[in-house]
Structures are given as C-alpha cells and as structure tokens.
C-alpha cells in the first residue's frame, strides 16, 4: 500500500503542488510571526543595551504612584548630582534631561504624529549623536535638531524653530546644527528631537528647576557595579534610586517585551486564521482527488485491501504532503521573518542594525501545525474513501456526489443553538453584563460555524441567483451549472473565502458602528457647534491662553463659550479624571449633563461634584468628603461632595473649582466649546475665532465632523491594519478556488473534449470556467458579508450598555469587498481556464 501511495503521488504532482501551497503559506505565516516577534524583541533589547552604554550605575527619580499617568516629570536634584560627583568611587558622570515638547514646522503646524518630539540636552551621553551640519548649541536661544525633524519640519540650518512645553510659552530658537545617530540613522524609533543647552532643556522639561531626568555614573578603575551601587546609597537619598546598568536595561527590556508579545500574538492569530482557511482547501482537494480515484480505490478493495489500509494510504499521502509543505513553509517563514525584521526595524525603530532571532518554537510550530492540519483535513475524505464498496470497480461510472442532508441538519441545529445564546445574552438573561456579553459572543461564534455548515444547502439557490447574471450566453449557463452541480464542493471552496470576508466585514461593521455612535452622541448631547482643541497625536496636550476666552465670548454670534481643563488625580487612593472650568455649570450643560442631586451653583474651593458612576465607585454621597492629590500637587486637598451629575458618555469623573488647575498636569485649558447662537452664521463665527487664536499654535477651530475625524482616526487605522493582515487568508482562498477549478477541469476532461467536439470554441471554454470561478468567489463573498454583518450587529448590540448604540453598515467597504471577490474569481480562473481551453479533443474523448 505504501508503494502504491508513493506511485500515486508521483503520478499527481500538479495536484500535490496546488494542495501544498495552502500548507506552505499557513506554516510560513506562523514561522514568520514567531521569528519577527523574537527578532523585534532582540533588536529592541539591543537598543536598550545601547542606552548609557559604558555606564555602571544609573540614578533616576523614584516614580510616584501617580503623576498624571507618568506624564509629570520628577528629577534627580542638583544636590544629589554634586554628592555623586564627590564620591571617590566615581570616575565619570553624564546627565540626561529629556521629555516631550511641541515644535512648529515651516507651515506653522506641530511637527510629528504618533511618534513624539523630544527635547534633550546636547551633553546627554545616553545616545550616540553625530553632528552632520553646523555645531552644538552653546546658548539658551540655540538648538540642534535631528535630521528627521529637519525633514518633517521643512526647516534648515539657520532657520528659526518655535518650541514649547507645558512649562513654557512658545519660544523661538535658532537652528545651529543638524545631527543624526550611529549607523547613519535620522531618528530613534521614528521620533523627532531637539537638542538644547542643559539649562534650556531644564527650563522646558522641569520649568527651570536644576534637576535631571537621569544621571549615568561610571565607576573608577577597580570598582565593580555592585560596589559602586552600594557606595552611592548615601548620596542618592529617598527621592531618587540607583540601579546597575544591567538592571536598568532589564527593566527596559521587560517593558518592551509586553508590547512585542501583544504584536506577536496579533500576528500569530492571523497566521492561525490562514491555517484554518487552509483546512477547507485541503479537505476539499482530498475529497476531489479521492472522488476521481474511487474506481481505483474500489479495485484495491476488490483485490483485498481493507478499510484500514485505505485510510492509512490516504493519511500517509496527506502526512508526506503536509510534512514536505510544512518544512518548506517553515523555511520560507523563517526567511520572511528575518527579512521583515529589517523592514520593521528600519521603518519603525530606525535602527541601522537588527538582531535576527530564530526561536526553536518557530520551525517546530510551523511544521507541527502544517502537518497536523493536513492530516486532520484528510481524515474525513480518507474515512469516506474506505467505505467505497468493491463492486464499484465493476461499474462504468462512479457517483462521487454525496447527499448533504446530514451536514445541513447539523448546520441548522448549530445555527439555532448559537442564535439561542445570542438571544439570551442580548436579553440580559444572565446575572452580569460580562456573562451576557460572553453568551452573545459565544453564540455569535456558534452561528458562524453553523452558517459554514449550511453553505452546501445555500449554494444551490444562491449560485442559481448569481448565475442568472451570466445566463445570457451559452458559456455563462454552463459555468453556472458547473458551479452548482456539486454543492458540497462549491460550499467548501467558497467557505475559505467566506471566513476572511466575514472577519473583515464584522470588524469594519463594529468599528463603523462605534464611529456612528460617537457621531450621534455628539449631535444629541453636545450643544456646542465648534471645538477649540489640538491634534490628538501631539506630543504635549494642546493648551491655550485662558484670557482668550473673554474675546471668544464677545464674538458676534456666540451664544456661550466654556473652557475645559483635565487632570488625572488620586482621589481616595484611586485614579480619577477631574474636570474644571471657569464656567463649570456651563461646561456641564454644554456636554448635556444634568445635576440629579445637590447643586453646582457657586462650586468653590473645598467643594467637588461627581458623576453617578464615580460617586458609586467610591461609595460617597452628598455631604461626604474625599481627599484628592492632583498631578503636579504635593499636598492632598479635602473636598466635600456637593452635587451628583447623571452619567454622560462625553464627560466623566469629578469637577472642581478652576483655582486648583495650577496643580493640574496642564494648568491651561485643553479645550473650549463654542455654542453658536440660533440664526448666526457658523462659518463667520469660525473665522473670527480662528483669528483670535492665531497666535495659539497648539489649537485650531474644528466643527463636529472635523473633531470626530480626529477622535476616531485610530479606528480607521485599525480597519486598515486588519484588512491588510487578513489579505493572507484571501490569498489562501484564491489558491483554494484555483485548486478546485484545476481538479474539476481534470475530472471533466472527457466532458470538455465532448463539448469541444460538438463545436464549443476555446473562448467559450475560457468564459465557462471564468463564470464558474467568479460565481464561486461571489458566493463566498456574499456569505462572508452577510455573516460578518450579522456578527457585527450582535457584538454592537451586546455593547449597547457601553454606549455603542448605533448600528452602521460600512457600505463603501462592502462594495470594495464585492469588487475584490470578482477580481479573486477572475485571477483564480486564469490557469484553469487556459488548461481547459487547450484540452486535446481526440485525447479527451478517448480518455478513461
């Protein structure tokens, strides 16, 4: 049987190659994901090791429990630095002053996006910088800029750049130097950088205090790192901490490992999706191949082969195929992972060197998954083949089609069970919101499986409906009939495409619903038409001069204008958002807030208001007291709760008098809401307000649509990222369609010969196969879109308690998916159509 299996495989090389492509791709993606994750981690670890290279001990401030979510910087005091320098075990000391700032480019806009702009002191030796043009800054009004900043800002040597932080106003600096980094890099991790004198960097970062972000200490000859660490303990004090350079690097590596692990799991998840899609392809291929060999298998049964031998023969073929394809896929994946590491490192980390790491788990997981998936996918076709009775060998033709009643009934039962779970979850049948959400989510997954099982039953009516589009021609009618002649085969082929389209559609639908819910909530709850605010990607939160508010209120056509301050404070030991405004009642009103208990009138010092949920979390009511410490505050304040406001999706937390904003992370307003009077021209008001804030570079005037586009930009990026990653599943689906059509053409060789013999042209043959391919692809896409919309609606409904109240359909994306499915069908038809059109007529007619 083994020899027969090997000879059979050798005789079907083309079929084996097509089948193995799915396994190769799935295995390659898994290996690539693991290698890329490990390599990025190794590269980041190496970059961490380069920080303060040569130093033995790092002295840094002790991070407080709360400082505006680590946004407010503490520093190592000058007295501590002096004590370190005076220690006899110290050979050298280097100081670092750094944190985020905003800088304006040639166009007057803030430079940078998601990667921040950093202010540093030129004397910082934690990073190796190389001057390319000009010189280092020598006076407080001078700055050297990174090459990346020069590129993004449009500014050059000798130009003036305006920079500012939360501690300073906009300040002009002359660019006296442009620098890069070791290895010819223009930036570090995509960020832009400005290098000042140490005193000016301290003014920007620490408001002029003589403190430092970190101090790197090099031990004298003969002194070890641990020995130096112990010697520095008296000098460090309670406000700072000293750690060895290795411990510092280990801490950085631990932080980066959390991020890279998330990336790795994300990539691995999509690799597993590709493998899952390949299950359908492999199972379908083996079903078709075995259907074509039923007479051969029946003959083997007739001469004495047992069912077990037939099963072992098919599984052996699958095992050999899977092992070979998985090994090839693992090799390609390792190579791809190594190559992608360079792309990611150069594109996002901006490092000249990369560290390629190949964990043992990468090839093992790729081979294990590829082999296992292939064997398991072939199991059902193998068992089905073993049931072939020997008498089939004596028949002229072998009927390969099987009834779909069993799988249809199973699919219906599974779908109904999933629907029951969804209904129970959405009707809040279970005790908690989490339990209801879990029931709905599990039910959605079960419905997805049920629909996949029902595809065979759905294929006939849907394919017939789609086929009506092409039925105007003879070739079109034949293509439609070919697509519907074997519902099971069509369903399995289309299911591979359906999976990818379902996931993309469901994700796009959910994210579109989130955006639509935000838009509707803005329209219904926020009374203001205009927002004065900054870009969400700015390094430093946008602020503006509070005095401009009186000028905005005086603009003709402005009904009301309120400023808003935000902070993240410690209230009774918990992190809470705190809001303030010079017109706190007006601010609550603009956000659609309603006071349900107490009164906010004349909210003064020592008084605080809270949303329902915030008060409930702390277990407080009217008249109770809380203790709060703000981001920049050093002392706790005691407040009495005087008002409770109904929960509002647009604002939450606590509300205090603006007298406390000096202790907020941003002591200036972050936003202003402008309510335009009825009948006033919004455009005219916008133009006047823009003139008033012309000298406030952090902020601009935005309407609802513009502001929402900023708030929801991350959802747009998420949709794009998921679509790109799921493209792999689409590639596997294309291979599945090609495989099915090629095997179908081989199976119908005699039929094609007869059609050609009675007058069918090559062009008609090509169109027939193309129609079949496009019909199958469209069928899979329509199923995926329908199922994806259903799943997206289910998740949206389950998230209604969180504020996602609107269901929105991404019509443009769905149209694009349908167009893509037609393209998939056309591409998949090329090879099979060419093969079918070139069938030798005489050879096909005599084909056995």
């Amino acid at each position: 049987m083994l020899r027969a299996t090997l000879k059979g495989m050798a005789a079907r090389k083309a079929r084996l190659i097509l089948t193995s492509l799915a396994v190769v791709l799935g295995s390659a993606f898994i290996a690539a994901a693991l290698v890329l994750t490990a390599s990025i981690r190794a590269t980041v670890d190496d970059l961490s090791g380069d920080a303060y290279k040569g130093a033995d001990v790092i002295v840094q401030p002790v991070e407080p429990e709360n400082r505006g979510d680590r946004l407010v910087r503490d520093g190592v005091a000058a007295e501590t630095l002096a004590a370190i320098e005076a220690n006899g075990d110290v050979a050298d000391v280097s100081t670092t002053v750094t944190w985020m700032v905003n800088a304006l480019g040639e166009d007057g806009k803030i430079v940078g996006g998601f990667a921040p702009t950093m202010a540093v002191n030129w004397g910082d030796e934690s990073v190796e910088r190389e001057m390319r043009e000009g010189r280092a800054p020598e006076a407080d009004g001078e700055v050297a800029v990174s090459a990346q900043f020069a590129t993004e800002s449009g500014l050059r040597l000798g130009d003036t750049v305006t920079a500012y932080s939360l501690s300073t106003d906009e300040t002009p600096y002359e660019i006296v130097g442009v620098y890069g980094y070791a290895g010819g890099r223009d930036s570090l991790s995509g960020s832009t950088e400005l290098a000042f004198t140490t005193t000016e960097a301290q003014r920007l970062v620490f408001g002029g205090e003589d403190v430092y972000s970190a101090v790197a200490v090099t031990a004298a000859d003969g002194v070890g790192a641990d020995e130096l660490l112990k010697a520095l303990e008296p000098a460090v004090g309670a406000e700072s901490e000293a750690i060895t350079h290795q411990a510092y690097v280990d801490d950085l590596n631990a932080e980066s490992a959390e991020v890279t692990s998330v990336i790795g799991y994300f990539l691995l998840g999509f690799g597993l999706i590709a493998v899952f899609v390949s299950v359908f392809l492999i199972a379908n291929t083996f079903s078709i191949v075995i259907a074509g060999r039923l007479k051969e298998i029946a003959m083997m049964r007739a001469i004495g082969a047992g069912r077990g031998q037939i099963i072992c023969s098919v599984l052996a073929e699958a095992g050999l195929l899977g092992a070979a394809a998985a090994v090839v896929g693992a090799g390609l994946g390792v190579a791809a992972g190594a190559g992608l590491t360079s792309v990611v490192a150069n594109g996002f980390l901006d490092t000249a060197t990369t560290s390629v790491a190949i964990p043992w788990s990468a090839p093992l997981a790729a081979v294990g998954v590829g082999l296992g998936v292939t064997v398991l996918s072939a199991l059902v076709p193998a068992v089905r083949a073993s049931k072939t009775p020997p008498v089939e060998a004596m028949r002229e033709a072998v009927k390969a089609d099987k009834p779909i009643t069993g799988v249809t009934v199973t699919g219906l039962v599974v779908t109904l069970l999933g629907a029951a779970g969804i209904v129970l979850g959405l009707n809040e049948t279970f005790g908690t919101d989490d339990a209801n959400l879990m029931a709905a989510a599990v039910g959605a997954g079960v419905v997805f499986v049920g629909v996949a099982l029902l595809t065979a039953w759905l294929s006939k009516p849907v394919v017939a409906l789609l086929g009506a589009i092409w039925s105007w021609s003879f070739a079109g009618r034949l293509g439609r009939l070919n697509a519907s002649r074997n519902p099971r085969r069509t369903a399995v082929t289309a299911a591979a495409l359906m999976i990818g389209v379902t996931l993309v559609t469901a994700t796009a639908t959910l994210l579109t619903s989130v955006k639509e819910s935000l838009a509707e909530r803005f329209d219904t709850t926020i009374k203001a038409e205009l927002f004065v605010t900054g870009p969400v990607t700015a390094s430093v939160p946008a602020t503006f001069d509070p005095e401009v508010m009186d000028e905005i209120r005086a603009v003709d056509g402005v009904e009301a204008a309120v400023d808003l301050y935000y902070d993240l404070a410690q209230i009774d030991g918990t992190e809470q958002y705190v809001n303030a405004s010079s017109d706190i009642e007006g601010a609550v009103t603009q956000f659609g807030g309603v006071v349900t208990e107490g009164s906010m009138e004349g909210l003064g010092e020592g008084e605080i208001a809270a949303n329902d949920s915030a008060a409930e979390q702390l277990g407080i009511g009217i008249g109770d007291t809380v203790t709060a410490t703000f981001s920049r505050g050093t002392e706790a304040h005691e407040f009495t709760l005087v008002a409770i406001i109904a929960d509002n999706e647009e604002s939450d937390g606590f509300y205090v008098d603006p007298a406390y904003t000096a202790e907020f992370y941003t002591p200036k307003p972050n936003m202003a809401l402008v309510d335009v009077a009825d009948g006033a021209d919004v455009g005219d008001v916008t133009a006047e307000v823009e003139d008033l804030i012309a000298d406030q570079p952090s902020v601009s005037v935005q309407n609802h649509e513009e502001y929402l586009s900023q708030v929801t930009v991350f959802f747009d990026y998420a949709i794009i990222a998921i679509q790109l990653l799921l493209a792999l599943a689409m590639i596997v689906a294309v291979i599945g369609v090609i495989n099915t059509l090629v095997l179908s053409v081989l199976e119908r060789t005699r039929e094609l010969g007869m059609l050609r013999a009675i007058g069918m042209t090559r062009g008609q043959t090509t169109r027939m196969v193309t129609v079949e391919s496009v019909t199958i692809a469209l069928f899979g896409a329509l199923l995926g879109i329908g199922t994806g919309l259903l799943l997206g609606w289910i998740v949206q409904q389950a998230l209604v308690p969180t504020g996602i109240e609107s269901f929105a359909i991404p019509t443009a994306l769905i149209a694009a998916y349908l167009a893509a499915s037609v393209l998939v069908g056309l591409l998949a038809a090329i090879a099979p159509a060419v093969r079918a059109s070139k069938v030798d007529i005489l050879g096909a007619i005599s084909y056995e």
Side-chain angles (χ1 to χ4, degrees), residues 146-197:
S146 67
Q148 183 74 19
F149 179 86
T151 300
E152 292 190 16
S153 67
L155 300 172
R156 296 293 181 265
L157 194 68
D159 290 342
T160 298
V161 60
T162 299
Y164 59 95
S165 68
L166 291 176
S167 304
T168 65
D169 293 324
E170 292 81 16
T171 307
Y173 298 92
E174 180 188 358
I175 300 176
V176 297
V178 178
Y179 60 88
Y181 305 88
R185 291 172 288 167
D186 288 347
S187 73
L188 293 176
S189 303
S191 64
T192 54
E193 198 173 83
L194 305 175
F196 303 88
T197 61

Coordinates of all heavy atoms in Angstrom, one line a residue, residues 146-197:
S146 N 17.4 67.0 15.1 CA 17.7 65.7 14.4 C 17.4 65.8 12.9 O 16.6 66.7 12.5 CB 16.9 64.6 15.0 OG 15.5 64.8 14.8
A147 N 18.0 65.0 12.1 CA 17.8 65.0 10.7 C 16.3 64.7 10.4 O 15.8 65.3 9.4 CB 18.7 64.0 10.0
Q148 N 15.7 63.9 11.1 CA 14.3 63.5 10.9 C 13.4 64.8 11.2 O 12.5 65.0 10.4 CB 13.9 62.4 11.9 CG 12.4 61.9 11.7 CD 12.3 61.1 10.4 OE1 13.2 60.6 9.9 NE2 11.0 61.0 10.0
F149 N 13.8 65.5 12.2 CA 13.0 66.8 12.5 C 13.1 67.7 11.3 O 12.2 68.4 10.9 CB 13.4 67.4 13.8 CG 12.7 68.7 14.1 CD1 11.5 68.6 14.7 CD2 13.2 69.9 13.7 CE1 10.8 69.8 15.0 CE2 12.5 71.1 13.9 CZ 11.3 71.0 14.6
A150 N 14.4 67.9 10.8 CA 14.6 68.8 9.7 C 13.8 68.4 8.5 O 13.2 69.2 7.8 CB 16.1 68.8 9.4
T151 N 13.7 67.1 8.2 CA 12.9 66.6 7.1 C 11.4 66.9 7.3 O 10.8 67.4 6.3 CB 13.2 65.1 6.9 OG1 14.5 64.9 6.7 CG2 12.3 64.6 5.7
E152 N 10.9 66.6 8.4 CA 9.5 66.7 8.7 C 9.0 68.2 8.8 O 7.9 68.5 8.5 CB 9.0 65.9 9.9 CG 9.2 64.4 9.8 CD 8.5 63.6 10.9 OE1 7.8 64.2 11.7 OE2 8.8 62.4 11.0
S153 N 9.9 69.0 9.4 CA 9.5 70.4 9.6 C 9.7 71.3 8.4 O 9.1 72.4 8.3 CB 10.3 70.9 10.8 OG 11.7 71.0 10.5
G154 N 10.6 70.9 7.5 CA 11.0 71.8 6.4 C 11.9 72.9 6.8 O 12.2 73.8 5.9
L155 N 12.4 72.8 8.0 CA 13.4 73.9 8.5 C 14.8 73.4 8.2 O 15.1 72.2 8.3 CB 13.1 74.2 9.9 CG 11.7 74.7 10.3 CD1 11.5 74.8 11.8 CD2 11.5 76.1 9.6
R156 N 15.7 74.3 8.1 CA 17.1 74.0 7.8 C 18.0 74.8 8.7 O 17.6 75.7 9.5 CB 17.5 74.3 6.3 CG 16.7 73.4 5.3 CD 17.1 72.0 5.4 NE 16.4 71.1 4.5 CZ 15.3 70.5 4.7 NH1 14.8 70.6 6.0 NH2 14.7 69.7 3.8
L157 N 19.3 74.6 8.6 CA 20.3 75.3 9.3 C 20.2 76.8 9.1 O 20.1 77.3 8.0 CB 21.7 74.8 8.9 CG 22.9 75.2 9.8 CD1 22.8 74.4 11.1 CD2 24.2 74.9 9.0
G158 N 20.1 77.5 10.3 CA 20.0 79.0 10.2 C 18.6 79.4 10.4 O 18.3 80.6 10.6
D159 N 17.6 78.5 10.2 CA 16.2 78.9 10.4 C 15.8 79.0 11.8 O 16.6 78.6 12.7 CB 15.2 77.9 9.7 CG 15.3 77.9 8.2 OD1 15.8 78.9 7.7 OD2 14.9 76.9 7.6
T160 N 14.6 79.6 12.1 CA 14.2 79.7 13.5 C 13.0 78.7 13.7 O 12.1 78.6 12.9 CB 13.7 81.1 13.7 OG1 14.8 82.0 13.6 CG2 13.1 81.2 15.2
V161 N 13.1 77.9 14.8 CA 12.0 77.0 15.1 C 11.4 77.4 16.4 O 12.1 77.9 17.4 CB 12.6 75.6 15.2 CG1 13.7 75.4 16.3 CG2 11.4 74.6 15.5
T162 N 10.1 77.3 16.5 CA 9.4 77.6 17.8 C 9.0 76.3 18.5 O 8.5 75.4 17.9 CB 8.1 78.4 17.5 OG1 8.4 79.6 16.8 CG2 7.3 78.7 18.7
A163 N 9.4 76.3 19.8 CA 9.1 75.1 20.6 C 8.6 75.5 21.9 O 8.8 76.6 22.4 CB 10.4 74.3 20.8
Y164 N 7.8 74.6 22.6 CA 7.3 74.9 23.9 C 6.9 73.6 24.5 O 6.7 72.6 23.9 CB 6.1 75.9 23.7 CG 4.9 75.3 22.9 CD1 3.9 74.6 23.5 CD2 5.0 75.4 21.5 CE1 2.9 74.1 22.7 CE2 4.0 74.9 20.7 CZ 2.9 74.2 21.3 OH 1.9 73.7 20.6
S165 N 6.7 73.7 25.9 CA 6.2 72.6 26.7 C 5.1 73.1 27.6 O 4.8 74.3 27.5 CB 7.4 72.0 27.5 OG 7.8 72.9 28.5
L166 N 4.7 72.3 28.4 CA 3.7 72.7 29.4 C 4.2 73.7 30.4 O 3.5 74.5 31.0 CB 3.1 71.5 30.1 CG 2.2 70.5 29.3 CD1 1.8 69.3 30.1 CD2 1.0 71.3 28.7
S167 N 5.5 73.7 30.5 CA 6.2 74.6 31.5 C 6.6 76.0 30.9 O 7.0 76.9 31.6 CB 7.4 74.0 32.1 OG 7.1 72.7 32.7
T168 N 6.5 76.1 29.6 CA 6.9 77.3 28.9 C 6.0 77.8 27.8 O 5.1 77.0 27.3 CB 8.3 77.0 28.2 OG1 8.1 76.1 27.1 CG2 9.3 76.5 29.2
D169 N 6.1 79.0 27.5 CA 5.3 79.6 26.3 C 6.1 79.3 25.1 O 7.3 78.8 25.1 CB 5.1 81.1 26.6 CG 4.2 81.3 27.7 OD1 3.2 80.5 27.9 OD2 4.4 82.4 28.4
E170 N 5.5 79.6 23.9 CA 6.2 79.5 22.6 C 7.5 80.3 22.6 O 7.5 81.5 22.9 CB 5.3 79.9 21.5 CG 4.1 79.0 21.3 CD 3.0 79.3 22.2 OE1 3.0 80.4 22.8 OE2 2.1 78.5 22.4
T171 N 8.6 79.6 22.3 CA 9.9 80.3 22.4 C 10.6 80.0 21.0 O 10.7 78.9 20.6 CB 10.8 79.8 23.5 OG1 10.0 79.9 24.7 CG2 12.1 80.6 23.6
P172 N 11.2 81.1 20.4 CA 11.9 80.9 19.2 C 13.4 80.5 19.4 O 14.0 81.0 20.4 CB 11.9 82.3 18.5 CG 11.8 83.2 19.6 CD 11.0 82.5 20.7
Y173 N 13.9 79.6 18.6 CA 15.3 79.1 18.7 C 15.9 79.1 17.4 O 15.3 78.7 16.4 CB 15.4 77.7 19.3 CG 14.8 77.6 20.7 CD1 13.5 77.2 20.9 CD2 15.6 77.8 21.8 CE1 12.9 77.1 22.1 CE2 15.0 77.7 23.1 CZ 13.7 77.3 23.3 OH 13.2 77.2 24.5
E174 N 17.2 79.5 17.3 CA 18.0 79.4 16.1 C 18.5 78.0 15.9 O 19.2 77.5 16.8 CB 19.1 80.5 16.0 CG 19.9 80.4 14.7 CD 21.1 81.3 14.8 OE1 21.3 82.0 15.8 OE2 21.9 81.3 13.8
I175 N 18.3 77.4 14.7 CA 18.9 76.1 14.4 C 20.3 76.3 14.0 O 20.7 76.8 13.0 CB 18.1 75.4 13.3 CG1 16.6 75.2 13.7 CG2 18.7 74.0 13.0 CD1 15.8 74.6 12.6
V176 N 21.2 75.8 14.9 CA 22.7 75.9 14.7 C 23.3 74.6 14.3 O 24.5 74.6 14.0 CB 23.4 76.5 15.9 CG1 22.8 77.9 16.2 CG2 23.2 75.6 17.1
G177 N 22.6 73.5 14.3 CA 23.1 72.2 14.0 C 22.1 71.2 13.6 O 20.9 71.3 14.0
V178 N 22.5 70.3 12.7 CA 21.6 69.2 12.3 C 22.4 67.9 12.5 O 23.5 67.8 12.1 CB 21.2 69.3 10.9 CG1 20.3 68.1 10.5 CG2 20.4 70.6 10.6
Y179 N 21.8 66.9 13.3 CA 22.6 65.7 13.6 C 21.8 64.5 13.3 O 20.6 64.5 13.1 CB 23.0 65.8 15.1 CG 21.8 65.8 16.1 CD1 21.2 64.7 16.6 CD2 21.3 67.0 16.5 CE1 20.2 64.7 17.4 CE2 20.3 67.1 17.4 CZ 19.7 65.9 17.9 OH 18.6 66.0 18.7
G180 N 22.6 63.4 13.3 CA 22.0 62.0 13.1 C 22.5 61.1 14.2 O 22.9 61.6 15.3
Y181 N 22.4 59.8 14.0 CA 22.7 58.9 15.0 C 23.6 57.8 14.5 O 23.8 57.7 13.2 CB 21.4 58.2 15.6 CG 20.4 59.2 16.1 CD1 19.5 59.8 15.2 CD2 20.4 59.6 17.4 CE1 18.6 60.7 15.7 CE2 19.5 60.6 17.9 CZ 18.6 61.1 17.0 OH 17.7 62.1 17.4
A182 N 24.2 57.0 15.3 CA 25.1 56.0 14.9 C 24.5 55.1 13.9 O 23.3 54.8 14.0 CB 25.6 55.1 16.1
G183 N 25.2 54.7 12.8 CA 24.7 53.8 11.8 C 24.0 54.6 10.7 O 23.3 54.0 9.9
G184 N 24.1 55.9 10.7 CA 23.5 56.7 9.6 C 22.0 56.9 9.8 O 21.4 57.4 8.9
R185 N 21.5 56.7 11.0 CA 20.1 56.9 11.2 C 19.7 58.4 11.3 O 20.5 59.2 11.8 CB 19.7 56.2 12.5 CG 19.7 54.7 12.4 CD 19.5 54.0 13.8 NE 20.6 54.2 14.7 CZ 20.6 54.0 16.0 NH1 19.5 53.6 16.5 NH2 21.7 54.2 16.7
D186 N 18.5 58.7 10.9 CA 18.0 60.1 11.0 C 17.2 60.3 12.3 O 16.9 61.4 12.7 CB 17.1 60.4 9.8 CG 17.9 60.6 8.5 OD1 19.1 60.7 8.6 OD2 17.3 60.6 7.5
S187 N 16.7 59.2 12.9 CA 15.9 59.3 14.1 C 16.0 58.1 15.0 O 16.6 57.1 14.6 CB 14.4 59.5 13.7 OG 13.9 58.3 13.2
L188 N 15.4 58.1 16.1 CA 15.3 57.0 17.0 C 13.9 56.6 17.2 O 13.1 57.4 17.6 CB 15.9 57.3 18.4 CG 17.4 57.5 18.5 CD1 17.8 57.9 19.9 CD2 18.2 56.3 18.1
S189 N 13.5 55.4 16.7 CA 12.1 54.9 16.8 C 11.1 55.8 16.2 O 10.0 55.9 16.6 CB 11.8 54.6 18.2 OG 12.7 53.7 18.8
G190 N 11.5 56.6 15.1 CA 10.6 57.4 14.4 C 10.4 58.8 15.0 O 9.6 59.6 14.5
S191 N 10.9 59.0 16.2 CA 10.7 60.3 16.9 C 11.6 61.4 16.3 O 12.6 61.2 15.7 CB 10.9 60.2 18.4 OG 12.3 59.9 18.6
T192 N 11.1 62.7 16.5 CA 12.0 63.8 16.1 C 12.5 64.4 17.4 O 12.0 64.2 18.5 CB 11.1 64.9 15.4 OG1 10.0 65.2 16.2 CG2 10.7 64.3 14.1
E193 N 13.6 65.1 17.3 CA 14.4 65.5 18.5 C 15.0 66.9 18.4 O 15.4 67.3 17.3 CB 15.5 64.5 18.8 CG 16.0 64.5 20.2 CD 17.0 63.4 20.4 OE1 18.2 63.5 20.0 OE2 16.6 62.3 20.9
L194 N 15.0 67.6 19.5 CA 15.6 68.9 19.6 C 16.6 68.9 20.7 O 16.2 68.5 21.8 CB 14.5 70.0 19.8 CG 13.4 70.1 18.9 CD1 12.4 71.2 19.3 CD2 13.8 70.5 17.5
A195 N 17.8 69.3 20.5 CA 18.8 69.3 21.5 C 19.2 70.7 21.9 O 19.6 71.6 21.1 CB 20.1 68.6 21.0
F196 N 19.0 71.0 23.2 CA 19.3 72.3 23.8 C 20.5 72.3 24.7 O 21.0 71.2 25.0 CB 18.0 72.8 24.5 CG 16.8 72.8 23.8 CD1 16.0 71.7 23.7 CD2 16.4 74.0 23.1 CE1 14.8 71.7 23.0 CE2 15.2 74.0 22.4 CZ 14.4 72.9 22.3
T197 N 20.9 73.5 25.2 CA 21.8 73.5 26.3 C 21.1 72.9 27.5 O 19.9 72.8 27.6 CB 22.2 74.9 26.6 OG1 21.0 75.7 27.0 CG2 22.9 75.6 25.4

